[in-house]
Structure formats: structure tokens, C-alpha cells
Amino acid sequence: MPLFTRRSLLGAAASLPLATPALAAYPDRPLRIISGFAPGGLNDIVSRAMAQALTPVLGQPVVVENRAGAGGGVGATAAARSAPDGYTLWMGIVDTQAINPSSYRNLQYDPERDFAPISLVAHFPFGVVVGPSQPQIRDFEAMIAAARAAPGKLTFASWGVASTSHLAMERILRGRGVEMLHVPFTSQAPAMQAIMSGQIDCMAMPAGGAETLTRDGRTRCVAVIAQRPLDILPGAPPVASFGVDLTSGLWKAIYAPAKTPPAVLERINAAVREAMKAPSFIEVVRQQGAVPEPSTPEELAALGRRERQAWGAVVQATGAMVN
């Protein structure tokens, strides 16, 4: 019978692949995706589609928790302060990860320090819509002409001061030398309702929302903020064709709290990439005029750095600050 010494047993154990008990068991309970905006808007729609697609990949239920307020800052702060164990994910957007650091004077989180990037989800283009309150405005140039004829009289909605919907519209109006009155709402859904009801005249919003509002013809999409025309908004030309240098829309990405173990982050990245292949998820994103764009954590981190610099300059130029 062979004799096993303590040294030989230790040597044999050292030669075996290292196993991480936490990762081997992960996940062993439900996960949550925190969305920083109210139900009914694009962030909620995409978060729920991601949760549905992730559930079979991870073998555990994934639920969405809406924590609206402060331009997504309430949800971002809650996500940043969650346990870094891989069971809380954050659906960050360009507003929360790139704009808020420049526009909020007392931000309660740091998008670079407090989050571990996992993967980009997609870039979502915008449409510029005019509601039933202005039936005579049929196209982009007519909207600009109406604004020029009555400075500050026409109104435009957004889902918050210094949000992408606010800054995109400001860029368009400033690019053409006209003014409108900005009316901020707490999230996308009530802003859309105000457009439909005729309370507010215009809004720059995600293309999927614009398509929903324009189905009956009472609300019209006069332009898109995109590199090229969009299939879901036929007949709406890019704002670049009117001399407005703006093609950026809204991007969304998955993050975890900082200090989440690297092995868990790798597992989540792989799961998110797999989830984005699900036909149900692809269809939801397609309905918003976009396509899934999985990335590495490093690519997402680089995107965040570039966007913070770019949008910081826009905030400074427009003076769109929040106390």
C-alpha cells in the first residue's frame, strides 16, 4: 500500500486547479437589476427585457427594482451602496454615468469609483416629436420657424434638467439659434403623456417612444438624432441634414457595485452577453431602433471616460446645473 506523507498530499493539492467556492455556487438566489427611472420608460423596458433574458442563463430569477429620482441618481446611489456580491446589478445610462457628474453639484455617487463596468447594452437613437398642440408644424424647419417667430413660447419636455433629452434638444435649438421653454418631468413616461395631451409642444425622446406617439398621426416625428434615417420612423430625416452637429443618443450599460469579485464580474459579463442573444431581447431592442452591443468591461470603462468629458463640455456650455 503506498504511503502518503503530509508533504506529498499538499503537493498534489497544489497541482489541482484552484476552485472558488463562492463562484462555484454563484448564483444561488435571485438577483435584481436596479433601474433609476419610473416604470413605463425606456430604461424600465430594457431592464425588464434583460432580466427576462438573464433568468434562464443564470438559473435564478432576475427582477427589476425601480428607484426613480434625481435624474437616476437615487437608483445609482442605491446600487453603489449595495453589497458587492454579484446579486445587485445596475442599468446605468449616459445620464447617470456621464452627465450627472458635471450637472449635479451634490452627487451622492461617483460613476467611476463606485461601479464595476460589465457590458454595454446598446445605443438608442432619439426622435424629435411635435405634439397635437402644434398641428401646423409638420416638419423640422417649420418647428424652427415657429420657435424663431415666438422666442420662448413653444415648450419642450424632458425627463429632467441636464438629462440627455434636455441637452439634446438644447443642442438642436442652440445650433439653429432659437429658444423654447424647457419643462422637465421626473421620467420619460409622464413627459410623453404631456406631449400626447397637448400640454407640451415638443420633445427629444428615444425612437421607440417616438414611434409609439406617432402611430395615430396626431404627434409627428420631425427628425431623428442618429447617423442615418431609422426604419421605425420613416420619413424623419437626421438632424445633421439641417446643419445640426448632433448624432449622439442614449446608451445603456450593465454595472455592478465596485469591489464585486473579478470572477463574479466575468461570470456576469458572460451571462449578459448570452442574454443579449435571446430573440426576445433582440426584438425589444429592435423596437427601439437599436441593436444589442455587448462589450468587455474595459471597453465600457473607456466609453464612460470619453462620454464624461464630452457631455461635461455640453453641460458647461448650456449651464444646465442641478442644485
Side-chain angles (χ1 to χ4, degrees), residues 149-239:
K153 183 177 180 181
L154 266 66
T155 56
F156 75 92
S158 78
W159 57 76
V161 174
S163 63
T164 40
S165 56
H166 174 202
L167 296 180
M169 202 68 182
E170 288 281 10
R171 286 278 301 275
I172 291 170
L173 298 175
R174 286 168 178 260
R176 294 301 300 271
V178 298
E179 297 179 14
M180 290 186 188
L181 176 64
H182 174 220
V183 182
F185 288 79
T186 56
S187 61
Q188 180 184 334
M192 290 174 61
Q193 182 61 43
I195 295 289
M196 288 189 292
S197 66
Q199 293 177 283
I200 305 295
D201 300 319
C202 311
M203 183 177 177
M205 68 178 71
E211 189 276 332
T212 298
L213 290 192
T214 57
R215 287 174 187 170
D216 65 1
R218 295 176 65 244
T219 302
R220 298 160 302 286
C221 183
V222 298
V224 295
I225 303 173
Q227 299 281 355
R228 58 187 64 85
L230 303 177
D231 291 341
I232 66 170
L233 293 169
V239 292

Coordinates of all heavy atoms in Angstrom, one line a residue, residues 149-239:
A149 N -40.2 82.6 -34.5 CA -41.2 83.7 -34.6 C -41.7 84.1 -33.2 O -42.2 85.2 -33.0 CB -42.4 83.2 -35.4
A150 N -41.6 83.1 -32.2 CA -42.1 83.4 -30.8 C -41.1 82.9 -29.8 O -41.3 81.8 -29.2 CB -43.5 82.8 -30.6
P151 N -40.0 83.6 -29.6 CA -38.9 83.0 -28.7 C -39.4 82.7 -27.3 O -40.1 83.5 -26.7 CB -37.9 84.2 -28.7 CG -38.1 84.9 -30.0 CD -39.6 84.8 -30.2
G152 N -39.2 81.5 -26.9 CA -39.6 81.1 -25.5 C -41.0 80.7 -25.4 O -41.4 80.4 -24.2
K153 N -41.8 80.8 -26.4 CA -43.2 80.5 -26.3 C -43.5 79.0 -26.4 O -44.3 78.4 -25.6 CB -44.0 81.3 -27.3 CG -45.5 81.0 -27.2 CD -46.3 81.9 -28.2 CE -47.8 81.6 -28.0 NZ -48.6 82.4 -29.0
L154 N -42.9 78.4 -27.4 CA -43.0 76.9 -27.6 C -42.3 76.2 -26.4 O -41.3 76.7 -25.9 CB -42.4 76.4 -28.9 CG -43.4 76.3 -30.1 CD1 -43.9 77.7 -30.5 CD2 -42.8 75.6 -31.3
T155 N -42.9 75.1 -26.0 CA -42.3 74.3 -24.9 C -41.8 73.0 -25.3 O -42.2 72.4 -26.3 CB -43.4 74.1 -23.8 OG1 -44.5 73.4 -24.4 CG2 -43.9 75.4 -23.2
F156 N -40.7 72.5 -24.6 CA -40.3 71.2 -24.9 C -40.1 70.4 -23.5 O -39.7 71.1 -22.5 CB -39.0 71.1 -25.7 CG -37.7 71.5 -25.0 CD1 -36.9 70.6 -24.4 CD2 -37.3 72.9 -25.0 CE1 -35.7 71.0 -23.8 CE2 -36.1 73.3 -24.4 CZ -35.3 72.3 -23.8
A157 N -40.4 69.2 -23.5 CA -40.3 68.4 -22.3 C -39.0 67.6 -22.3 O -38.3 67.4 -23.3 CB -41.5 67.4 -22.3
S158 N -38.7 67.1 -21.1 CA -37.5 66.2 -20.9 C -37.8 65.4 -19.6 O -38.8 65.6 -18.9 CB -36.2 67.0 -20.7 OG -36.1 67.5 -19.4
W159 N -37.0 64.4 -19.4 CA -37.2 63.6 -18.1 C -36.2 64.2 -17.0 O -35.8 63.4 -16.1 CB -37.0 62.1 -18.3 CG -35.7 61.7 -18.9 CD1 -34.5 61.6 -18.3 CD2 -35.5 61.2 -20.2 NE1 -33.5 61.1 -19.1 CE2 -34.1 60.9 -20.4 CE3 -36.3 61.0 -21.3 CZ2 -33.6 60.3 -21.5 CZ3 -35.8 60.5 -22.5 CH2 -34.4 60.2 -22.6
G160 N -35.9 65.4 -17.1 CA -35.1 66.0 -16.0 C -34.1 67.1 -16.5 O -33.6 67.0 -17.7
V161 N -33.8 68.0 -15.7 CA -32.8 69.0 -16.0 C -31.4 68.3 -16.3 O -31.0 67.4 -15.5 CB -32.6 70.1 -14.9 CG1 -31.5 71.0 -15.2 CG2 -33.9 70.8 -14.7
A162 N -30.8 68.7 -17.3 CA -29.5 68.1 -17.7 C -29.5 66.6 -18.1 O -28.5 65.9 -18.1 CB -28.4 68.3 -16.6
S163 N -30.7 66.1 -18.4 CA -30.8 64.8 -18.9 C -30.5 64.8 -20.4 O -30.3 65.8 -21.0 CB -32.3 64.3 -18.8 OG -33.2 65.1 -19.5
T164 N -30.3 63.6 -21.0 CA -30.0 63.6 -22.4 C -31.1 64.2 -23.2 O -30.9 64.9 -24.2 CB -29.8 62.1 -22.9 OG1 -30.7 61.2 -22.3 CG2 -28.4 61.6 -22.6
S165 N -32.4 64.0 -22.8 CA -33.5 64.5 -23.6 C -33.5 66.1 -23.5 O -33.8 66.7 -24.5 CB -34.8 64.0 -23.0 OG -35.0 64.3 -21.6
H166 N -33.0 66.6 -22.4 CA -32.9 68.1 -22.2 C -31.7 68.6 -23.1 O -31.9 69.5 -23.9 CB -32.7 68.4 -20.8 CG -32.4 69.9 -20.5 ND1 -31.8 70.3 -19.4 CD2 -32.7 71.0 -21.3 CE1 -31.7 71.6 -19.4 NE2 -32.2 72.1 -20.6
L167 N -30.6 68.0 -22.9 CA -29.4 68.5 -23.5 C -29.4 68.3 -25.0 O -28.9 69.2 -25.8 CB -28.1 67.9 -22.9 CG -27.9 68.2 -21.5 CD1 -26.6 67.5 -21.0 CD2 -27.7 69.7 -21.2
A168 N -30.0 67.2 -25.5 CA -30.1 67.0 -26.9 C -31.0 68.1 -27.6 O -30.6 68.7 -28.6 CB -30.7 65.6 -27.2
M169 N -32.1 68.4 -26.9 CA -33.0 69.5 -27.5 C -32.3 70.8 -27.4 O -32.4 71.7 -28.4 CB -34.3 69.5 -26.7 CG -35.4 70.2 -27.5 SD -35.9 69.2 -28.9 CE -37.2 70.2 -29.6
E170 N -31.5 71.1 -26.4 CA -30.8 72.4 -26.2 C -29.8 72.5 -27.4 O -29.6 73.6 -28.0 CB -30.1 72.5 -24.9 CG -31.1 72.7 -23.7 CD -31.5 74.2 -23.6 OE1 -31.2 75.0 -24.5 OE2 -32.1 74.5 -22.6
R171 N -29.1 71.4 -27.6 CA -28.1 71.4 -28.7 C -28.7 71.7 -30.0 O -28.2 72.5 -30.9 CB -27.4 70.0 -28.8 CG -26.4 69.7 -27.7 CD -25.0 70.4 -27.9 NE -24.4 69.9 -29.2 CZ -23.7 68.8 -29.3 NH1 -23.5 68.0 -28.3 NH2 -23.2 68.5 -30.5
I172 N -29.9 71.1 -30.3 CA -30.6 71.4 -31.6 C -31.0 72.8 -31.7 O -30.8 73.5 -32.7 CB -31.8 70.4 -31.7 CG1 -31.4 69.0 -31.9 CG2 -32.7 70.9 -32.8 CD1 -32.5 68.0 -31.8
L173 N -31.6 73.3 -30.6 CA -32.1 74.7 -30.7 C -31.0 75.7 -30.7 O -31.1 76.7 -31.5 CB -33.0 75.0 -29.4 CG -34.3 74.1 -29.3 CD1 -35.0 74.4 -28.0 CD2 -35.2 74.3 -30.5
R174 N -30.0 75.5 -30.0 CA -28.8 76.4 -30.0 C -28.1 76.4 -31.3 O -27.6 77.4 -31.8 CB -27.9 76.1 -28.9 CG -28.3 76.5 -27.5 CD -27.5 76.0 -26.4 NE -28.0 76.4 -25.1 CZ -27.4 77.4 -24.4 NH1 -26.3 78.0 -24.9 NH2 -27.9 77.7 -23.2
G175 N -28.1 75.2 -31.9 CA -27.5 75.0 -33.2 C -28.2 75.8 -34.3 O -27.6 76.2 -35.3
R176 N -29.5 76.1 -34.1 CA -30.2 76.8 -35.1 C -30.6 78.3 -34.6 O -31.3 79.0 -35.2 CB -31.5 76.1 -35.4 CG -31.3 74.8 -36.2 CD -30.5 75.0 -37.5 NE -31.2 75.9 -38.4 CZ -32.1 75.4 -39.3 NH1 -32.4 74.1 -39.4 NH2 -32.8 76.3 -40.1
G177 N -30.1 78.6 -33.4 CA -30.2 80.0 -32.9 C -31.6 80.3 -32.5 O -32.1 81.5 -32.6
V178 N -32.4 79.4 -31.9 CA -33.7 79.6 -31.4 C -33.9 79.2 -30.0 O -33.1 78.4 -29.5 CB -34.8 78.9 -32.3 CG1 -34.7 79.5 -33.8 CG2 -34.6 77.4 -32.3
E179 N -35.0 79.6 -29.4 CA -35.3 79.3 -28.0 C -36.6 78.6 -27.8 O -37.6 79.0 -28.5 CB -35.2 80.5 -27.1 CG -33.9 81.2 -27.1 CD -33.9 82.5 -26.2 OE1 -34.9 82.6 -25.5 OE2 -33.0 83.3 -26.3
M180 N -36.7 77.7 -26.9 CA -38.0 77.2 -26.4 C -38.0 77.1 -24.9 O -36.9 77.2 -24.3 CB -38.3 75.8 -26.9 CG -38.6 75.7 -28.4 SD -39.1 74.0 -28.8 CE -39.1 74.1 -30.6
L181 N -39.1 77.0 -24.2 CA -39.2 76.9 -22.8 C -39.0 75.4 -22.4 O -39.8 74.6 -22.8 CB -40.5 77.5 -22.3 CG -40.7 77.3 -20.8 CD1 -39.7 78.1 -20.0 CD2 -42.1 77.8 -20.4
H182 N -38.1 75.1 -21.6 CA -37.9 73.8 -21.1 C -38.8 73.4 -19.9 O -38.8 74.2 -18.9 CB -36.4 73.6 -20.7 CG -36.1 72.2 -20.1 ND1 -35.3 72.1 -19.0 CD2 -36.5 71.0 -20.4 CE1 -35.2 70.8 -18.7 NE2 -36.0 70.1 -19.5
V183 N -39.5 72.3 -20.0 CA -40.4 71.8 -18.9 C -39.9 70.4 -18.5 O -40.2 69.5 -19.2 CB -41.8 71.8 -19.3 CG1 -42.7 71.4 -18.2 CG2 -42.3 73.2 -19.9
P184 N -39.2 70.3 -17.4 CA -38.7 69.0 -17.0 C -39.7 68.2 -16.3 O -40.5 68.7 -15.5 CB -37.5 69.3 -16.1 CG -37.8 70.7 -15.5 CD -38.6 71.4 -16.6
F185 N -39.7 66.9 -16.5 CA -40.5 65.9 -15.8 C -39.6 65.0 -15.0 O -38.4 65.0 -15.1 CB -41.5 65.2 -16.7 CG -42.6 66.0 -17.3 CD1 -42.3 66.9 -18.4 CD2 -43.8 65.9 -16.8 CE1 -43.3 67.7 -18.9 CE2 -44.9 66.7 -17.3 CZ -44.6 67.6 -18.4
T186 N -40.2 64.1 -14.2 CA -39.4 63.2 -13.4 C -39.0 62.0 -14.1 O -38.0 61.3 -13.7 CB -40.3 62.7 -12.1 OG1 -41.5 62.1 -12.6 CG2 -40.6 63.9 -11.2
S187 N -39.6 61.6 -15.2 CA -39.2 60.5 -16.0 C -39.8 60.6 -17.4 O -40.6 61.5 -17.7 CB -39.6 59.2 -15.4 OG -41.0 59.1 -15.2
Q188 N -39.5 59.6 -18.3 CA -40.0 59.7 -19.7 C -41.5 59.5 -19.8 O -42.1 60.3 -20.6 CB -39.3 58.6 -20.5 CG -39.6 58.5 -21.9 CD -39.0 57.4 -22.7 OE1 -38.0 56.9 -22.3 NE2 -39.6 56.9 -23.8
A189 N -42.1 58.6 -19.1 CA -43.5 58.3 -19.3 C -44.4 59.5 -19.1 O -45.2 59.8 -19.9 CB -43.9 57.2 -18.4
P190 N -44.3 60.3 -17.9 CA -45.1 61.5 -17.8 C -44.9 62.6 -18.8 O -45.8 63.3 -19.2 CB -44.9 61.9 -16.4 CG -43.6 61.3 -16.0 CD -43.5 60.0 -16.7
A191 N -43.6 62.7 -19.3 CA -43.3 63.6 -20.3 C -44.0 63.3 -21.6 O -44.5 64.2 -22.3 CB -41.8 63.7 -20.5
M192 N -44.0 62.0 -21.9 CA -44.7 61.6 -23.1 C -46.2 61.8 -23.0 O -46.8 62.3 -24.0 CB -44.4 60.1 -23.4 CG -43.0 59.8 -23.8 SD -42.7 58.0 -24.0 CE -43.9 57.5 -25.2
Q193 N -46.7 61.6 -21.8 CA -48.2 61.9 -21.6 C -48.5 63.3 -21.8 O -49.5 63.7 -22.4 CB -48.6 61.4 -20.2 CG -50.0 61.6 -19.9 CD -50.9 60.8 -20.8 OE1 -50.7 59.6 -21.1 NE2 -52.0 61.4 -21.3
A194 N -47.6 64.2 -21.4 CA -47.8 65.6 -21.5 C -47.8 66.0 -23.0 O -48.5 66.9 -23.4 CB -46.8 66.4 -20.8
I195 N -47.0 65.4 -23.8 CA -46.9 65.6 -25.2 C -48.3 65.2 -25.9 O -48.9 65.9 -26.6 CB -45.8 64.9 -25.9 CG1 -44.4 65.4 -25.4 CG2 -45.8 65.0 -27.4 CD1 -44.1 66.8 -25.9
M196 N -48.7 64.0 -25.5 CA -49.9 63.4 -26.1 C -51.1 64.3 -25.8 O -52.0 64.4 -26.6 CB -50.1 62.0 -25.7 CG -49.1 61.0 -26.3 SD -49.6 59.3 -25.9 CE -49.3 59.2 -24.1
S197 N -51.2 64.8 -24.6 CA -52.3 65.5 -24.1 C -52.3 67.0 -24.6 O -53.3 67.7 -24.4 CB -52.4 65.5 -22.6 OG -51.3 66.2 -22.0
G198 N -51.2 67.4 -25.2 CA -51.2 68.8 -25.7 C -50.7 69.8 -24.7 O -50.7 71.0 -25.0
Q199 N -50.2 69.3 -23.5 CA -49.7 70.3 -22.5 C -48.4 70.8 -22.9 O -48.1 72.0 -22.6 CB -49.6 69.6 -21.2 CG -50.9 69.1 -20.5 CD -50.6 68.4 -19.3 OE1 -50.3 67.2 -19.3 NE2 -50.8 69.1 -18.1
I200 N -47.6 70.0 -23.6 CA -46.2 70.4 -24.0 C -46.1 70.2 -25.5 O -46.8 69.3 -26.1 CB -45.2 69.5 -23.3 CG1 -45.3 69.6 -21.8 CG2 -43.8 70.0 -23.7 CD1 -45.1 71.0 -21.2
D201 N -45.3 71.1 -26.2 CA -45.3 71.1 -27.6 C -44.3 70.1 -28.3 O -44.7 69.4 -29.3 CB -44.9 72.5 -28.1 CG -45.9 73.5 -27.7 OD1 -47.1 73.3 -27.7 OD2 -45.4 74.6 -27.3
C202 N -43.1 69.9 -27.7 CA -42.1 69.1 -28.4 C -41.3 68.3 -27.4 O -41.3 68.6 -26.2 CB -41.1 70.0 -29.1 SG -41.9 71.3 -30.2
M203 N -40.5 67.4 -27.9 CA -39.6 66.6 -27.0 C -38.7 65.8 -27.9 O -39.0 65.3 -28.9 CB -40.4 65.7 -26.1 CG -39.6 64.9 -25.1 SD -40.5 63.8 -24.0 CE -39.2 63.0 -23.1
A204 N -37.4 65.7 -27.4 CA -36.5 64.7 -27.9 C -36.5 63.5 -27.0 O -36.3 63.6 -25.8 CB -35.1 65.3 -27.9
M205 N -36.9 62.3 -27.6 CA -37.1 61.1 -26.8 C -36.6 59.9 -27.6 O -36.3 60.0 -28.8 CB -38.6 60.9 -26.5 CG -39.4 60.6 -27.7 SD -41.2 60.3 -27.3 CE -41.7 62.0 -26.9
P206 N -36.4 58.8 -26.9 CA -36.0 57.6 -27.6 C -36.9 57.2 -28.7 O -38.1 57.4 -28.7 CB -36.0 56.5 -26.5 CG -35.7 57.3 -25.2 CD -36.4 58.6 -25.4
A207 N -36.3 56.7 -29.8 CA -37.0 56.5 -31.0 C -38.2 55.5 -30.9 O -39.2 55.7 -31.5 CB -36.1 55.9 -32.1
G208 N -38.1 54.6 -30.0 CA -39.2 53.7 -29.7 C -40.4 54.4 -29.2 O -41.6 54.2 -29.6
G209 N -40.2 55.3 -28.2 CA -41.2 56.1 -27.7 C -41.8 57.1 -28.7 O -43.0 57.3 -28.8
A210 N -41.0 57.6 -29.6 CA -41.4 58.5 -30.6 C -42.3 57.7 -31.6 O -43.4 58.2 -32.1 CB -40.2 59.1 -31.4
E211 N -41.9 56.5 -31.9 CA -42.8 55.7 -32.8 C -44.1 55.4 -32.2 O -45.1 55.5 -32.9 CB -42.0 54.4 -33.1 CG -42.7 53.5 -34.2 CD -43.8 52.6 -33.7 OE1 -43.8 52.3 -32.6 OE2 -44.7 52.4 -34.5
T212 N -44.2 55.1 -30.9 CA -45.4 54.9 -30.2 C -46.3 56.1 -30.3 O -47.5 56.0 -30.6 CB -45.2 54.5 -28.8 OG1 -44.4 53.3 -28.7 CG2 -46.5 54.3 -28.0
L213 N -45.8 57.3 -30.1 CA -46.6 58.5 -30.1 C -47.1 58.9 -31.5 O -48.1 59.6 -31.6 CB -45.8 59.7 -29.5 CG -45.5 59.7 -28.0 CD1 -44.9 61.0 -27.6 CD2 -46.7 59.3 -27.2
T214 N -46.4 58.5 -32.5 CA -46.7 59.0 -33.8 C -47.6 58.0 -34.6 O -47.9 58.3 -35.8 CB -45.4 59.3 -34.6 OG1 -44.6 58.1 -34.7 CG2 -44.6 60.4 -34.0
R215 N -48.0 56.9 -34.0 CA -48.8 55.9 -34.8 C -50.1 56.5 -35.3 O -50.5 56.1 -36.4 CB -49.0 54.7 -33.9 CG -47.8 53.8 -33.7 CD -48.1 52.7 -32.7 NE -46.9 52.0 -32.3 CZ -46.8 51.1 -31.3 NH1 -47.9 50.8 -30.6 NH2 -45.7 50.5 -31.1
D216 N -50.8 57.3 -34.5 CA -52.1 57.8 -34.9 C -52.0 59.1 -35.8 O -53.0 59.6 -36.2 CB -53.0 58.1 -33.7 CG -52.5 59.2 -32.8 OD1 -51.4 59.8 -33.1 OD2 -53.2 59.5 -31.8
G217 N -50.8 59.6 -36.0 CA -50.6 60.8 -36.8 C -50.8 62.1 -36.1 O -50.5 63.2 -36.7
R218 N -51.3 62.1 -34.9 CA -51.6 63.4 -34.2 C -50.2 64.0 -33.7 O -50.1 65.2 -33.7 CB -52.5 63.2 -33.0 CG -53.9 62.8 -33.5 CD -54.8 62.5 -32.2 NE -55.0 63.7 -31.4 CZ -54.6 63.8 -30.2 NH1 -54.0 62.8 -29.6 NH2 -54.9 64.9 -29.5
T219 N -49.3 63.1 -33.4 CA -48.0 63.5 -33.0 C -47.0 63.2 -34.1 O -47.1 62.1 -34.6 CB -47.5 62.8 -31.7 OG1 -48.5 63.1 -30.7 CG2 -46.2 63.3 -31.2
R220 N -46.1 64.1 -34.5 CA -45.3 63.9 -35.6 C -43.8 63.9 -35.2 O -43.4 64.7 -34.4 CB -45.5 65.0 -36.7 CG -47.0 65.0 -37.2 CD -47.3 66.3 -37.8 NE -47.2 67.5 -36.9 CZ -48.0 67.7 -35.9 NH1 -49.0 66.9 -35.6 NH2 -47.8 68.8 -35.1
C221 N -43.0 62.9 -35.8 CA -41.6 62.9 -35.6 C -41.0 63.7 -36.8 O -41.1 63.3 -37.9 CB -41.1 61.5 -35.6 SG -39.3 61.4 -35.3
V222 N -40.3 64.8 -36.5 CA -39.8 65.7 -37.5 C -38.4 65.5 -37.8 O -37.9 66.0 -38.8 CB -40.1 67.2 -37.1 CG1 -41.6 67.5 -37.0 CG2 -39.4 67.6 -35.8
A223 N -37.7 64.8 -36.9 CA -36.2 64.5 -37.2 C -35.8 63.4 -36.2 O -36.4 63.1 -35.2 CB -35.4 65.7 -37.0
V224 N -34.7 62.8 -36.6 CA -34.1 61.8 -35.7 C -32.6 62.2 -35.4 O -32.0 62.9 -36.2 CB -34.1 60.4 -36.3 CG1 -35.5 59.9 -36.5 CG2 -33.3 60.3 -37.6
I225 N -32.2 61.9 -34.2 CA -30.8 62.1 -33.7 C -30.1 60.8 -33.9 O -30.0 60.0 -33.0 CB -30.8 62.7 -32.3 CG1 -31.6 63.9 -32.2 CG2 -29.3 63.0 -31.9 CD1 -31.8 64.4 -30.7
A226 N -29.6 60.6 -35.1 CA -28.9 59.3 -35.4 C -28.0 59.6 -36.6 O -28.1 60.6 -37.3 CB -30.0 58.3 -35.8
Q227 N -27.2 58.6 -36.9 CA -26.3 58.7 -38.1 C -27.0 58.7 -39.4 O -26.6 59.2 -40.4 CB -25.3 57.5 -38.0 CG -24.4 57.5 -36.8 CD -23.2 58.5 -36.9 OE1 -23.0 59.2 -37.9 NE2 -22.5 58.6 -35.8
R228 N -28.2 58.0 -39.4 CA -28.9 57.8 -40.7 C -30.4 57.7 -40.3 O -30.8 57.5 -39.2 CB -28.4 56.5 -41.4 CG -28.6 55.3 -40.5 CD -27.9 54.1 -41.2 NE -26.5 54.2 -41.3 CZ -25.6 54.0 -40.3 NH1 -26.1 53.5 -39.1 NH2 -24.4 54.1 -40.5
P229 N -31.3 57.8 -41.3 CA -32.7 57.6 -41.1 C -33.0 56.2 -40.4 O -32.3 55.3 -40.6 CB -33.3 57.7 -42.5 CG -32.4 58.5 -43.3 CD -31.0 58.1 -42.8
L230 N -34.1 56.2 -39.7 CA -34.4 55.0 -38.9 C -35.6 54.3 -39.6 O -36.6 55.0 -39.9 CB -34.8 55.3 -37.5 CG -33.7 56.0 -36.7 CD1 -34.2 56.3 -35.3 CD2 -32.4 55.2 -36.6
D231 N -35.6 53.0 -39.7 CA -36.7 52.2 -40.2 C -38.0 52.4 -39.4 O -39.1 52.4 -40.0 CB -36.4 50.7 -40.3 CG -35.3 50.4 -41.3 OD1 -35.1 51.3 -42.2 OD2 -34.6 49.4 -41.2
I232 N -37.9 52.5 -38.1 CA -39.1 52.6 -37.3 C -39.7 54.0 -37.3 O -40.8 54.2 -36.9 CB -38.8 52.2 -35.8 CG1 -37.9 53.2 -35.1 CG2 -38.3 50.8 -35.8 CD1 -37.8 53.0 -33.6
L233 N -39.0 55.0 -37.9 CA -39.5 56.4 -38.0 C -39.3 56.8 -39.5 O -38.5 57.8 -39.7 CB -38.8 57.3 -37.0 CG -39.1 57.1 -35.5 CD1 -38.2 57.9 -34.7 CD2 -40.6 57.4 -35.2
P234 N -40.0 56.2 -40.4 CA -39.8 56.5 -41.8 C -40.2 58.0 -42.1 O -41.2 58.5 -41.6 CB -40.7 55.5 -42.5 CG -41.7 55.2 -41.5 CD -41.0 55.2 -40.2
G235 N -39.4 58.6 -42.9 CA -39.7 60.0 -43.3 C -39.1 61.0 -42.4 O -39.2 62.2 -42.7
A236 N -38.5 60.6 -41.3 CA -37.9 61.6 -40.4 C -36.4 61.7 -40.6 O -35.7 60.7 -40.4 CB -38.2 61.2 -38.9
P237 N -35.9 62.8 -41.2 CA -34.5 62.9 -41.5 C -33.6 63.1 -40.3 O -34.1 63.7 -39.3 CB -34.5 64.1 -42.5 CG -35.6 64.9 -42.0 CD -36.7 64.0 -41.5
P238 N -32.3 62.8 -40.4 CA -31.4 63.1 -39.3 C -31.2 64.6 -39.1 O -31.3 65.4 -40.1 CB -30.1 62.4 -39.8 CG -30.5 61.4 -40.8 CD -31.7 62.0 -41.4
V239 N -31.1 65.0 -37.9 CA -30.9 66.5 -37.7 C -29.6 67.0 -38.4 O -29.6 68.2 -38.7 CB -30.9 66.8 -36.2 CG1 -32.2 66.6 -35.5 CG2 -29.7 66.1 -35.4

